[in-house]
Amino acid sequence: MPEGKIIKALSGFYYVLDGENVIQCRGRGVFRKNKITPLVGDYVVYQAENDTDGYILEIKERKNELVRPPIANVDQAILVFSAVEPEFSTLLLDRFLVLVEANGIDPVIVISKIDLLSTENMKRIQTFIEDYRTIGYPVISTSSVTNEGIELLLPYIKNKISVIAGQSGVGKSSLLNALNPELELKTNDISTHLGRGKHTTRHVELIELEDGLVADTPGFSSLDFIGIEVEDLSYCFPEIYKIGHSCKFRGCLHDKEPKCAVKEAVEKGTIKNYRYDHYMEFLEEIRDRKPRY
């Protein structure tokens, strides 16, 4: 049986790329029965009825998957956050970072719309950029208007499956258009009434770009930590996980335990206060999610 990769899911159809050909497929009823949904990025076995239509018979094992956006087998996440309009948020960025870290996906942080920054705000954003680079994250400043930073992003895309994600209105489609003007993806301005972007991307689709595949995804602004347990959270904060090895007690959650190396590092400034605050906020959120007896 032929095999391929789902590159688009739309209205119950799955578009499977097999070499040069794209086959429009439907999923078998057994998937619905077993509550399995084929995802963009899935490697599948399909049966072709003709040159253009077929049925998906089997979904190969996934190395990872995201719920929102719904996509599988991702190598890296390009997290796009605007410097302004909407305003840059470390809290929201850290939410995205936790989600992709928990799924074993490498993050690349892109700060968009830097052409709109005042000199004062540029210094503020630059401080955050240096913070995240010190942690070990690649951070690229870009402008889809001036094309600044676009070339620096291209090597990250090559030969990888990337999901491009972030709050709606940050310029994800504009960024993809800057990377490849032939895409002509629809973009929209920020809604001045709501202070956020209108959703211009309605479905998930893998787009061929620089010898890689990039997923343009529907915008979203909130994330739930489904499947992440309290003891897993520190893994998603690399600097906390690294310093946490020096804590006196094994399994320290860096909360109320004595002789916690992480809390000492926060006091010394080795770990940024806002990162620790976000860690604690997420820890409480995960705790509150669980039933209490």
Side-chain angles (χ1 to χ4, degrees), residues 75-96:
D75 295 315
Q76 67 182 5
I78 300 170
L79 304 179
V80 185
F81 279 74
S82 58
V84 289
E85 296 181 13
E87 189 174 349
F88 182 73
S89 167
T90 56
L91 178 63
L92 192 56
L93 173 56
D94 286 345
R95 278 187 166 276
F96 275 77

Side-chain angles (χ1 to χ4, degrees), residues 11-14 25-38 55-57 59 62:
S11 303
F13 287 98
Y14 303 96
C25 294
R26 285 193 177 276
R28 291 182 65 195
V30 69
F31 294 135
R32 283 192 300 275
K33 181 180 177 183
N34 295 331
K35 296 182 179 179
I36 298 171
T37 302
Y55 282 88
I56 293 174
L57 303 179
I59 299 171
R62 296 165 180 160

Side-chain angles (χ1 to χ4, degrees), residues 11-215:
S11 303
F13 287 98
Y14 303 96
Y15 297 83
V16 178
L17 177 66
D18 184 356
E20 299 283 318
N21 301 319
V22 176
I23 313 297
Q24 178 179 274
C25 294
R26 285 193 177 276
R28 291 182 65 195
V30 69
F31 294 135
R32 283 192 300 275
K33 181 180 177 183
N34 295 331
K35 296 182 179 179
I36 298 171
T37 302
L39 297 176
V40 169
D42 272 334
Y43 294 95
V44 298
V45 178
Y46 70 94
Q47 181 176 21
E49 295 184 322
N50 50 54
D51 290 341
T52 58
D53 298 276
Y55 282 88
I56 293 174
L57 303 179
E58 179 188 346
I59 299 171
K60 298 286 190 178
E61 186 177 354
R62 296 165 180 160
K63 73 174 183 179
N64 56 46
E65 65 181 274
L66 296 174
V67 177
R68 291 185 298 170
I71 189 169
N73 301 314
V74 176
D75 295 315
Q76 67 182 5
I78 300 170
L79 304 179
V80 185
F81 279 74
S82 58
V84 289
E85 296 181 13
E87 189 174 349
F88 182 73
S89 167
T90 56
L91 178 63
L92 192 56
L93 173 56
D94 286 345
R95 278 187 166 276
F96 275 77
L97 286 170
V98 166
L99 181 75
V100 298
E101 290 275 14
N103 282 277
I105 298 169
D106 294 329
V108 178
I109 301 169
V110 171
I111 311 296
S112 65
K113 304 186 184 180
I114 59 167
D115 56 291
L116 299 179
L117 282 174
S118 64
T119 304
E120 184 179 342
N121 279 335
M122 178 67 86
K123 289 179 182 176
R124 173 178 166 270
I125 293 296
Q126 194 61 42
T127 299
F128 288 129
I129 289 173
E130 292 307 318
D131 288 349
Y132 283 97
R133 282 178 177 163
T134 300
I135 293 167
Y137 293 121
V139 186
I140 301 169
S141 304
T142 66
S143 167
S144 300
V145 175
T146 66
N147 276 345
E148 182 176 345
I150 299 301
E151 288 292 324
L152 297 175
L153 186 55
L154 291 175
Y156 287 97
I157 293 170
K158 191 166 184 173
N159 299 323
K160 289 184 179 178
I161 296 178
S162 307
V163 57
I164 183 165
Q167 188 180 12
S168 62
V170 296
K172 297 188 297 294
S173 294
S174 295
L175 180 66
L176 283 170
N177 285 337
L179 287 163
N180 183 359
E182 293 180 8
L183 293 175
E184 296 182 349
L185 295 173
K186 187 178 177 185
T187 62
N188 239 327
D189 294 330
I190 297 292
S191 163
T192 53
H193 176 63
L194 296 174
R196 64 188 184 202
K198 301 167 188 174
H199 294 261
T200 53
T201 309
R202 301 293 177 184
H203 62 278
V204 180
E205 180 175 359
L206 285 172
I207 299 164
E208 292 189 57
L209 193 64
E210 289 295 314
D211 296 322
L213 291 168
V214 178

